[in-house]
Amino acid sequence: MDASIIIQIVLLIVGFVFLIKGSDLFVDGASSIASHLKVPTIIVGLTIVAFGTSAPEAAVSITSSLTGNNAMAVSNVIGSNMFNILMVIGVSALLSELLMEKEVLNRDLPFLVGITFLFAIFIVLGWDISSIEGIILLIIMIVYLFFIIRSAFKSGSTNYVDKPKLTTTRSVLYILIGLAGIVLGGDLVVNSASDIAIAFGMSETLVGLTIVAIGTSLPEFVTSITALKKGENQLVIGNVIGSNIFNILFVLGASSAISAIPLDPSMLIDVIFMVIVTIICFIFGKTQDKYDKKEGVVLILLFVFYMAFAIWRNYFPF
């Protein structure tokens, strides 16, 4: 293997480390600041933690949009959302039965299906995501956050963290270092992944759907496995659904608001598959209010099938 390719692979791995560690530091710092300011934990979870776990996708997609790597900007979100549903939920369900919270089942999951359809409609209308459509996605995200935060206050389910984990100075330092890691990691991942794609004859779309998508979804995967070990099985579904909603509304919204993202018509297959996968996730949840081992196996097999198809299509286009 050429030495330059080895260097790019190392830089890709380093980029992922920066992204994931940067996200952790940002969440820890921002959460502590919120505790100092007596911000309710529900708001911390819906904003800071949601942003933190989706920060790698945001960094990669926004950087891709700014540098003209449009295929990677969109394929990263599509691949991440499918990995979250098929592998994060799939593997978690294989390890332990996942119960569905009523709010997630009746509010958040149907909302995810709706915005996934909206994403598909935007693409079919003009084979791109325009700046106006990006702004629409961002507005929907703001309205959604406002609605669920208001619902939390009305239900009286808010509580506060008594003791911050970090001092104010250290919290600010964590936030700054975390953001620097996210930005630097995103830049490294996009540049190195593009070089690797060219070297191996892989399209930007394939790299975004596979290597980059899986790498940027590691925070969700690690968070879910950690939740399982602690017996907090219901958090897995909420983590995945929340992250997927954030990916579409914020990551794609911000990326396309900065610069319109044109799409290759061939990516319609990937969008359709993402819609189907999201609907399957909804059906599995609705039928018995949980995900068990059988459904976990089905989801994992669907992921293997899709990865095989994506690789085959790259080298044998139709």
Side-chain angles (χ1 to χ4, degrees), residues 8 20 24 32 41 52 58 70 86 130 150 181 236 245 274 289 313:
Q8 293 304 321
I20 295 167
D24 286 342
S32 289
T41 52
N70 297 308
L86 299 179
S130 67
R150 189 184 67 172
V236 175
I245 289 172
M274 182 177 70
D289 297 344
R313 181 184 59 183

Side-chain angles (χ1 to χ4, degrees), residues 79-203:
S80 293
N81 278 20
M82 288 196 288
F83 181 84
N84 285 344
I85 291 175
L86 299 179
M87 286 300 289
V88 177
I89 292 181
V91 171
S92 298
L94 205 59
L95 296 174
S96 178
E97 190 175 82
L98 305 177
L99 299 176
M100 296 285 290
E101 289 185 349
K102 189 169 291 185
E103 280 113 357
V104 172
L105 185 61
N106 297 327
R107 181 191 65 198
D108 303 311
L109 195 48
F111 182 74
L112 175 61
V113 173
I115 61 171
T116 304
F117 268 111
L118 180 63
F119 170 44
I121 290 170
F122 281 170
I123 290 175
V124 172
L125 287 177
W127 297 114
D128 69 352
I129 303 178
S130 67
S131 296
I132 293 176
E133 290 167 341
I135 292 171
I136 290 173
L137 292 176
L138 290 174
I139 291 173
I140 292 174
M141 183 193 72
I142 293 170
V143 173
Y144 172 71
L145 285 176
F146 172 79
F147 175 76
I148 55 179
I149 290 171
R150 189 184 67 172
S151 298
F153 275 111
K154 279 188 174 182
S155 66
S157 61
T158 58
N159 54 72
Y160 302 85
V161 179
D162 293 328
K163 294 183 179 180
K165 294 180 180 179
L166 307 167
T167 63
T168 303
T169 302
R170 182 168 288 188
S171 298
V172 172
L173 191 61
Y174 271 40
I175 290 172
L176 294 176
I177 295 174
L179 286 174
I182 291 168
V183 173
L184 179 59
D187 193 49
L188 284 173
V189 167
V190 170
N191 292 333
S192 56
S194 297
D195 291 340
I196 291 170
I198 293 171
F200 285 100
M202 300 167 68
S203 66

Side-chain angles (χ1 to χ4, degrees), residues 3 10 27 30 63 65 67 75 99 125 127 136 143 167 189 191 209 214 224-225 229 233 271 288 291 303 307:
V10 171
V27 169
T63 302
S65 179
T67 56
S75 59
L99 299 176
L125 287 177
W127 297 114
I136 290 173
V143 173
T167 63
V189 167
N191 292 333
L209 288 169
I214 293 171
S224 296
I225 298 301
K229 288 181 178 178
N233 296 13
V271 176
Q288 53 183 1
Y291 297 87
F303 180 77
M307 286 295 101

